[in-house]
Amino acid sequence: MTVRSGPLAAGEAGNRLPRTVAKQKKKEEADARREILAPVRTALNTASVIVAVASVCAVVPFVLIVELCRELLSEEVDTTRVSQLLSAAVITLGLRIVLQAVAMTLSHLTDAGFQLSVRRALAEKLTRVPLGWFDSHNSGEVKRYLQDDVEALHYLVAHARLEFVGAVVVPIVTLMYLFSVEWRLALLLLVPLIVYAILLSRMMDQSSRDRLAVYNRWERTAQSTTIEYVDGIQVVRAFGQAGKAHSAFQDAIDGQAKSLGRFKVPMIRLQAIADIVVSPVFVMLVIVLGGSVGVTQEWIAPIDVLPFLLVGLGLGSAVMGLGYSSQTLREGAVAASRLHGVQREAELPFSDTDAAPGQDRTVRFDAVDFGYRADHQVLRGVTVELVPGTITALVGPSGSGKSTLAALLPRFYDVDSGRITIGGVDIRDFSSEELYWTVGFVFQDVRLIEGSIRENLLIARPDADQSMLEAAARAAQIHDRIADLPRGYDSEIGVDASLSGGEAQRLSIARTLLADTPVLVLDEATAFADPESEAAVQDALATLVAGRTVLVIAHRLHTITGVDQILVLENGAIVERGVHDDLKSAGGQYQRLWEINELALNAISRVMLKGTS
């Protein structure tokens, strides 16, 4: 990886989106934010009204103090009026504190419940998306949706609306009062606010959003490169490629740092200027200069400058928070847009009728077509029947559609046309529970949850007792290994137990045995097994497939010579079918694959013999 070819280069090539595209993107983000926050709109509106009243109460004490000062400077001081004004100021200030606390408590309680409901909704949503969705979204992305993005909504819910209301109401009430005192000096006081608004709009314009998008891409690149660097450091050092790996890692870090600089430096400059123009010292300077001119020209009384010094100085602090919160607001908006996208993902429809295939477990693919994109078909007109109690193997060159065809049976995706039936019932008419009670799968990449051995096994059958767990583990050739662990079946994976690839695979097989599904999909389950445990995995698989309808993806042809049916795929279509002995001498694609397989095995044997001689 090089800096010039990464996401930063894309950002440098065109940091500004076309105006129409930028407007559309901004509108989509606003719509996403509005829809995501719809459940808490009523609570936020209530909190906003409370904050608006509290904001008025924040200005009133200063107005009362001004009137108190006028009274004290008058020729005849009314002590009763002074006491009344002072008491009213204190009471109003206390009311403002109470109202602000009520509004903040309401917004934070709303946010806590909202985050819980969003996480639950997302978790529920992820149970309805096609299982294939997780192939294109790794665990890091799913974690970001459920944790990071939901937490990023905190500012939008608990703070953004309230801060905006306060930043609007306080200046409006203040300016209304000051205009009633002296309109010309009030107009002068608008200048810092206008300059601040212009600078704030530049801080939040599309070019800033684009630079943030470039930085986010670099951040993701740096994260993935860091993981690859740490995970692969032993391999690259063993082959003398540590320098190249370090260079790629350094390029990613440098790219992230440069993109952060391109995003932050303009922001810091604008923020610094904006802070100055609304700072109390600068606003006071404007008031003093303008007031001095007004008093000198005799169009303002000296006492009328006092309200501007007491009340006007608060204008800057009321709006200053908007600039500091702009980045958090953007991050929340982007997170809301991502979560909205997840919520709009197509769901895998399941029937509510609980259709069941009865005793017949015959699987049939009828003229199945499928593509991951509309413009690219992966499978074309696949028709095949899997008879109960038989094993059918899928073979073919890389990219021929083997894994895709196998993934359609447990409904990782739905077919584009045609249908897949079990016992004559379309799998789309099954409920999700019925489908996964009927179809089980064991893939190369074993997925184990964080927890104990027992918890991993009970996923397949929550009501299984100890004897059932042990029977499945013995059949999968993994019971003895579990028994040797410090806490046996209650040992925590990653804490008490570090399982090899073959051991993890056998645990996965034990889990599938517990599920006891009559239809089974296997994807070269011994591929990641170490040589010592491959025989044990093969024995476990032999127990697993007995009496079931089995579809297996075969990458090593010598492992499927005894299966009942072999399907040869090429470019998404079945070009040959039969048994090993017939296909081996048929002169077709299978014969060529077999010859390549034999050459590879012979080459490995020669190398191993040469190494031992």
Side-chain angles (χ1 to χ4, degrees):
M1 179 178 63
T2 61
V3 171
R4 303 303 300 181
S5 62
L8 183 57
E12 291 170 341
N15 204 34
R16 287 186 180 274
L17 293 173
R19 181 168 297 180
T20 54
V21 176
K23 285 184 176 179
Q24 179 63 26
K25 184 178 179 181
K26 191 172 183 179
K27 181 179 181 301
E28 289 175 355
E29 288 185 358
D31 291 342
R33 186 166 62 249
R34 191 179 304 110
E35 188 170 332
I36 284 287
L37 299 180
V40 295
R41 185 173 294 126
T42 300
L44 292 184
N45 287 341
T46 303
S48 298
V49 172
I50 296 173
V51 165
V53 177
S55 299
V56 174
C57 292
V59 178
V60 169
F62 292 98
V63 176
L64 294 174
I65 290 173
V66 169
E67 295 305 312
L68 187 149
C69 292
R70 288 181 187 275
E71 183 65 31
L72 291 174
L73 293 174
S74 65
E75 293 181 359
E76 294 184 7
V77 179
D78 185 345
T79 55
T80 301
R81 177 173 168 74
V82 169
S83 298
Q84 290 174 341
L85 290 171
L86 184 60
S87 299
V90 172
I91 292 172
T92 307
L93 182 61
L95 180 61
R96 185 255 180 183
I97 294 173
V98 171
L99 291 175
Q100 190 74 23
V102 169
M104 291 298 292
T105 301
L106 176 59
S107 68
H108 279 76
L109 288 176
T110 300
D111 173 63
F114 176 67
Q115 288 198 29
L116 177 61
S117 64
V118 169
R119 284 195 172 96
R120 284 176 172 171
L122 286 172
E124 180 66 23
K125 175 70 178 185
L126 295 180
T127 66
R128 299 193 299 269
V129 298
L131 292 178
W133 182 86
F134 295 94
D135 290 337
S136 56
H137 297 79
N138 59 39
S139 58
E141 291 180 272
V142 176
K143 177 259 184 186
R144 183 184 65 183
Y145 294 138
L146 290 170
Q147 183 171 326
D148 300 346
D149 284 348
V150 175
E151 289 180 357
L153 297 179
H154 167 76
Y155 179 77
L156 290 180
V157 177
H159 298 281
R161 177 83 72 87
L162 306 189
E163 290 182 4
F164 178 78
V165 170
V168 171
V169 173
V170 169
I172 288 177
V173 174
T174 301
L175 288 171
M176 288 174 60
Y177 169 68
L178 294 180
F179 267 99
S180 69
V181 174
E182 171 52 53
W183 64 271
R184 285 163 291 194
L185 193 54
L187 281 177
L188 181 63
L189 199 57
L190 283 177
V191 174
L193 298 182
I194 294 173
V195 174
Y196 184 83
I198 294 172
L199 293 172
L200 185 62
S201 66
R202 290 188 60 188
M203 289 168 60
M204 301 183 69
D205 64 10
Q206 187 58 46
S207 62
S208 175
R209 297 163 71 90
D210 292 342
R211 289 193 295 269
L212 176 60
V214 172
Y215 168 71
N216 286 335
R217 289 198 296 271
W218 265 117
E219 185 179 36
R220 290 193 297 271
T221 299
Q223 289 174 348
S224 61
T225 304
T226 301
I227 293 172
E228 292 173 3
Y229 179 71
V230 173
D231 289 347
I233 188 63
Q234 291 179 320
V235 175
V236 297
R237 287 183 62 184
F239 286 92
Q241 299 297 316
K244 183 182 291 186
H246 180 75
S247 176
F249 169 73
Q250 191 63 50
D251 286 346
I253 299 302
D254 290 345
Q256 182 185 12
K258 290 179 181 178
S259 65
L260 179 61
R262 285 176 169 83
F263 168 59
K264 278 291 188 181
V265 170
M267 294 280 290
I268 292 172
R269 292 171 182 166
L270 292 173
Q271 184 72 62
I273 298 173
D275 288 351
I276 290 173
V277 298
V278 293
S279 65
V281 173
F282 186 84
V283 173
M284 183 175 65
L285 180 62
V286 171
I287 293 172
V288 170
L289 291 176
S292 299
V293 173
V295 171
T296 303
Q297 297 298 319
E298 297 184 349
W299 48 260
I300 182 173
I303 188 62
D304 288 335
V305 179
L306 181 61
F308 289 88
L309 290 174
L310 284 178
V311 182
L313 293 184
L315 284 174
S317 60
V319 300
M320 188 179 293
L322 294 179
Y324 284 101
S325 63
S326 59
Q327 181 177 346
T328 309
L329 186 64
R330 277 194 301 269
E331 291 173 352
V334 172
S337 182
R338 280 196 296 261
L339 293 176
H340 184 249
V342 175
Q343 290 182 344
R344 296 178 64 184
E345 285 285 347
E347 297 181 5
L348 198 62
F350 280 96
S351 172
D352 296 326
T353 59
D354 285 337
Q359 297 301 314
D360 186 5
R361 294 297 188 267
T362 302
V363 176
R364 183 172 178 80
F365 292 74
D366 288 325
V368 168
D369 291 333
F370 175 77
Y372 296 102
R373 303 191 312 268
D375 59 345
H376 180 66
Q377 285 294 102
V378 178
L379 298 174
R380 302 174 181 83
V382 174
T383 297
V384 65
E385 185 173 275
L386 312 182
V387 179
T390 65
I391 301 176
T392 299
L394 297 175
V395 303
S398 178
S400 60
K402 303 185 298 296
S403 295
T404 299
L405 180 61
L408 294 180
L409 183 51
R411 281 194 78 188
F412 278 36
Y413 307 95
D414 270 341
V415 299
D416 294 337
S417 63
R419 66 176 192 154
I420 303 172
T421 62
I422 300 176
V425 179
D426 195 313
I427 61 173
R428 289 171 291 194
D429 293 331
F430 285 51
S431 66
S432 60
E433 293 81 4
E434 183 65 37
L435 178 63
Y436 297 122
W437 286 334
T438 304
V439 181
F441 38 87
V442 178
F443 293 138
Q444 293 181 28
D445 187 12
V446 179
R447 301 294 176 90
L448 301 176
I449 64 170
E450 290 187 9
S452 67
I453 299 288
R454 184 184 305 278
E455 288 168 338
N456 273 272
L457 292 173
L458 289 177
I459 290 176
R461 190 168 180 177
D463 62 343
D465 57 24
Q466 182 66 25
S467 62
M468 296 171 67
L469 296 182
E470 291 186 7
R474 290 181 192 278
Q477 309 289 315
I478 192 64
H479 171 74
D480 292 342
R481 175 71 173 98
I482 297 174
D484 288 338
L485 295 174
R487 289 187 285 162
Y489 283 81
D490 293 315
S491 298
E492 297 283 330
I493 295 178
V495 179
D496 304 309
S498 180
L499 302 180
S500 67
E503 290 168 345
Q505 192 63 271
R506 279 180 277 162
L507 184 61
S508 174
I509 292 170
R511 188 166 59 189
T512 307
L513 279 167
L514 271 175
D516 196 25
T517 57
V519 179
L520 191 62
V521 179
L522 303 176
D523 184 0
E524 195 64 77
T526 62
F528 294 154
D530 49 280
E532 185 176 344
S533 64
E534 181 172 358
V537 175
Q538 290 285 11
D539 291 341
L541 287 173
T543 303
L544 179 62
V545 303
R548 291 177 168 83
T549 307
V550 180
L551 181 65
V552 57
I553 303 172
H555 303 285
R556 294 181 286 183
L557 299 188
H558 67 278
T559 63
I560 49 98
T561 56
V563 302
D564 302 283
Q565 180 180 209
I566 297 173
L567 305 177
V568 183
L569 272 73
E570 188 173 11
N571 295 323
I574 297 177
V575 294
E576 290 181 279
R577 68 181 74 201
V579 296
H580 169 73
D581 291 337
D582 294 338
L583 294 175
K584 185 176 67 171
S585 57
Q589 176 71 293
Y590 184 83
Q591 181 176 336
R592 289 191 291 273
L593 292 172
W594 178 257
E595 290 171 352
I596 294 172
N597 182 75
E598 288 290 284
L599 288 173
L601 289 176
N602 291 335
I604 293 173
S605 298
R606 286 196 298 270
V607 170
M608 295 183 67
L609 288 173
K610 185 177 181 180
T612 57
S613 62

